[in-house]
Amino acid sequence: MAGLCRALGRGPEATHWAQLSTAIRRVLDHQPRTPWSLVRRSLDGQGLLGVRDSELLDRVRRADHDEIAHMLRRLPAGARALIRQGLHPLRHRVADEDVLLDADLERHLATDLVDALLPEGPEDALVPLGRAWMQAKQARKELSAAAGAPDDWHMVGGLRRTDPVSPDVALLAVTGDPEGWTRRAAGALPRDTLVVAGARAVAVAADPEPIVVHALPATAVPTSLVWYTGPRTHVRDVKARAQALGLDFTREALLEGGRAVALADEADFYARLQLPFIPVELRARAGILDTAVAGGLPTLLDVSDIRGDLHMHTVYSDGRDSVAGMVHAARALGYRYMAITDHSPTSRASRVLTIERIAEQAGEIAAVRALVPDITILHGIECDIQEDGTLDVPDAVLERLDIVLASMHESYGHSPARILQRYERVVRHPLVNVITHPANRSPGRQPGYALAFARLFEEAARTGTAVEIDGAPGHLDLDAPLAEMAAAIGAPILVDSDCHMADRLGRQMRFGVGLARRAGLTKDQVLNTREVGAITAFVAAKRHGRPWQP
Ligand SMILES: [Zn+2]
Ligand SMILES: [Zn+2]
């Protein structure tokens, strides 16, 4: 670690660690088997060891994962990016002499030691999905401008797995000349944008973690996709499987007797290991290889299975676009139906729908329906669940709408038990069809309610009320394992975008579908993979007190 700081750091923190590292090395060079207590005494004697460092070093020596994560966070951004991505060390001078790495580091990166030490838990996760997506998009644009557009781009890591929060953001740039492309990118990027450059990788500054872009030839794509999509546990398991079959799985190739096996794509790679393709969203699961070998992988929900989106906002509340704008976006995605569901009067959204405006909106929707007959436009609302579990819109108004969503935007500081009571009351309301973003979490900021969710899902199943998987980056809720629990209990499930901008309708649905896939959900378990008749029947069943048959 200290070696990295010396190689990369410019701040006082790095200098401090470099001094520590040198001091430790001096002791160990002299007497390699010096006990830690003596090393410590020596550091203390030199006044190098502050209380904080002393504690940190003690904990790191025990290789406790949380502490390593903590320590990683204190490293300069460039060093973190390098460690996380296991970058190849630099082989040429790029942009700045400070980024040259030493042979010691090279040895470290060549081993799996670094990988083995690195946690990939929530403790280490820093970049929320929505931000990761925007940054990746921006990096692609900037790098294409700087170095020329590569033949292809791939998102990897948590971004590809639809992890709500990832430790980092990484991309693959496919090009016939990886070194040349990297050199051009590193040379053209502004100095404050380029964090570090390797022979075949650049790290671009972003908040809070740099984006690492690996350049590679097309032949390396099948193995690199698996390697960099991760997570590390999966890579390790796959590596072991390859080894058992007499193969060597590296980032760049699958080797047999030292020669690269020709692979068409990622699926071909798994096939060569006698495995079916393992969906990226399931790769973090423990025992997924065994499941795959046993033929137990589900056929997951796919974006193309979605027939309609039942949660979105317009200028009638805090959305950016008009009803017509959202309708055109939904049509462009090939949806057969959609619901306009703006926020109700007491919501804390920046703009809300008053009772009078609901009638006005009904008129506007009717006008758009006449113009665009090939998509069914449902008129709905996203009601706020009040402190006592009632809704903020009278039943007489709700009855005239096609679908009613209910949300908890305000917890009033209630205990989980009280929140559950409010949910149970609202789920029993005959006019409520969907509980949106049930855990009310915000990735990277709010963990969400710690409710007895099984009770909510049982009540939802009993009353024919759907629970939602919300693809808005600020929610990403329900996520696995809650969505998995809801499905197992038999609660109806919707995947929605909760979109506030027409041009993000597709992206947020993708996020929602990604979450459903993380939960292992299939097409049959998601209500809005069916035609609109199934949706209207679902709403009607509850309104008339009939049991809903999936
Ligand atoms: Zn909401
Ligand atoms: Zn909403």
Side-chain angles (χ1 to χ4, degrees), residues 351-499:
R351 273 172 276 129
V352 297
L353 199 56
T354 58
I355 304 295
E356 300 74 56
R357 293 271 285 166
I358 295 175
E360 200 180 311
Q361 189 178 44
E364 186 167 333
I365 288 175
V368 178
R369 276 182 191 136
L371 292 172
V372 195
D374 55 351
I375 182 167
T376 305
I377 309 166
L378 302 178
H379 186 196
I381 193 166
E382 181 178 6
C383 279
D384 254 48
I385 301 170
Q386 304 296 287
E387 191 165 2
D388 59 358
T390 58
L391 297 172
D392 62 341
V393 177
D395 288 0
V397 176
L398 296 180
E399 267 166 10
R400 294 201 295 271
L401 296 170
D402 300 313
I403 190 164
V404 175
L405 282 48
S407 313
M408 194 91 73
H409 287 121
E410 175 60 69
S411 72
Y412 299 101
H414 285 169
S415 68
R418 280 272 315 266
I419 290 173
L420 183 63
Q421 274 174 5
R422 282 162 72 193
Y423 266 146
E424 283 176 331
R425 177 160 184 195
V426 87
V427 163
R428 290 177 198 136
H429 192 304
L431 291 167
V432 170
N433 310 112
V434 186
I435 301 295
T436 64
H437 45 78
N440 247 346
R441 67 135 176 204
S442 184
R445 284 190 295 165
Q446 289 272 344
Y449 304 141
L451 304 183
F453 278 102
R455 279 190 37 205
L456 172 62
F457 299 152
E458 278 158 16
E459 204 56 14
R462 193 184 65 77
T463 55
T465 311
V467 291
E468 185 193 53
I469 296 176
D470 183 315
H475 291 299
L476 300 174
D477 168 19
L478 299 168
D479 189 12
L482 285 182
E484 205 173 349
M485 186 201 284
I489 288 173
I493 294 173
L494 284 174
V495 181
D496 292 325
S497 70
D498 191 2
C499 196

Side-chain angles (χ1 to χ4, degrees), residues 31 68 137 180 254 279 293 348 356-357 377 418 456 480 482 518-519:
Q31 189 58 265
I68 291 178
K137 202 170 134 188
L254 185 65
V293 169
R348 292 208 299 188
E356 300 74 56
R357 293 271 285 166
I377 309 166
R418 280 272 315 266
L456 172 62
L482 285 182
R518 282 161 55 81

Side-chain angles (χ1 to χ4, degrees), residues 294-315:
L297 290 181
T299 303
L300 297 179
L301 172 75
D302 190 80
V303 175
S304 63
D305 296 327
I306 299 292
R307 292 285 167 271
D309 186 342
L310 296 173
H311 183 175
M312 67 188 77
H313 299 268
T314 70
V315 289

